[in-house]
Amino acid sequence: MSANATRRVEVYPDREVVVEFDPGLTFECVEECTWCCHHGVLLYDDDLIGLAKRANLAETTTDFRGEKFVTREEKSRDDHVAEDGCACAFLREDGLCTLHLEEDWKPTRCSVFPLSVWLEDGDLHVDIRESAHEHCEGLDVSDRSVIDNLEAFLPEILWDLDDPDSNREL
């Protein structure tokens, strides 16, 4: 979308986002992809509290540049891993997430994917992550409109964060 074509969308009462992507975009996770799980998952403070209820933080998180991330760990398999053989500590061998499947919970960053969020001039902006265009197989493969389902991608906590930038990686 061009800067002239951006639009404001109310996601929650009194919580707007500036949409920077094509409003016709659709997204649905596809089986066997797991590309988003190959990177470190940034954890905000509320995510740390939620994760602590479900896992041992000492074993499943790491500090990087002063921020907490879910540990990427080496996996003894060829599928559902990055080129270096690593993936999220919670990514199971079958390509499913332990936290999402077994705990019905996921960190904010996982909810946001494949979107990118950032603050600009006091407004929360959202676009498609640049890398997702190249790697994410779930873009434009379904009828699930992203703009009509923004509450599924954007947890309300994002509006309360000083730095919701979701592009930071481990």
Side-chain angles (χ1 to χ4, degrees):
M1 267 178 121
S2 69
N4 304 4
T6 60
R7 63 193 244 186
R8 292 181 171 279
V9 175
E10 186 175 67
V11 181
Y12 301 100
D14 300 319
R15 304 269 179 152
E16 289 184 332
V17 67
V18 178
V19 174
E20 304 273 355
F21 59 86
D22 177 351
L25 181 80
T26 66
F27 173 78
E28 194 75 47
C29 283
V30 295
E31 208 171 304
E32 301 298 319
C33 177
T34 70
W35 178 77
C36 59
C37 305
H38 299 175
H39 314 284
V41 175
L42 174 67
L43 296 166
Y44 302 111
D45 290 345
D46 282 3
D47 294 325
L48 284 169
I49 294 166
L51 185 58
K53 294 175 183 177
R54 295 162 175 89
N56 181 326
L57 293 181
E59 294 174 3
T60 59
T61 65
T62 188
D63 290 306
F64 182 69
R65 295 184 180 159
E67 296 181 300
K68 286 282 191 191
F69 287 80
V70 171
T71 305
R72 290 180 76 244
E73 63 184 24
E74 192 168 329
K75 305 285 186 174
S76 58
R77 59 182 186 244
D78 295 328
D79 294 328
H80 309 298
V81 294
E83 289 180 10
D84 63 0
C86 296
C88 175
F90 296 104
L91 185 63
R92 300 181 340 180
E93 191 169 326
D94 61 4
L96 299 174
C97 174
T98 300
L99 293 173
H100 191 205
L101 186 66
E102 298 174 14
E103 300 287 336
D104 194 29
W105 180 85
K106 56 185 168 180
T108 301
R109 173 98 180 249
C110 298
S111 294
V112 169
F113 196 86
L115 303 178
S116 172
V117 298
W118 69 96
L119 275 179
E120 185 177 310
D121 299 327
D123 291 321
L124 191 65
H125 287 249
V126 62
D127 200 351
I128 301 301
R129 294 174 61 88
E130 190 172 317
S131 56
H133 288 289
E134 186 177 334
H135 300 285
C136 181
E137 297 175 21
L139 294 173
D140 291 322
V141 298
S142 74
D143 293 330
R144 182 181 181 222
S145 166
V146 174
I147 204 162
D148 291 338
N149 291 281
L150 283 172
E151 73 285 347
F153 294 97
L154 303 174
E156 203 166 1
I157 183 180
L158 291 170
W159 281 264
D160 298 326
L161 297 172
D162 292 333
D163 185 9
D165 182 354
S166 63
N167 285 320
R168 301 189 304 269
E169 290 187 10
L170 179 60

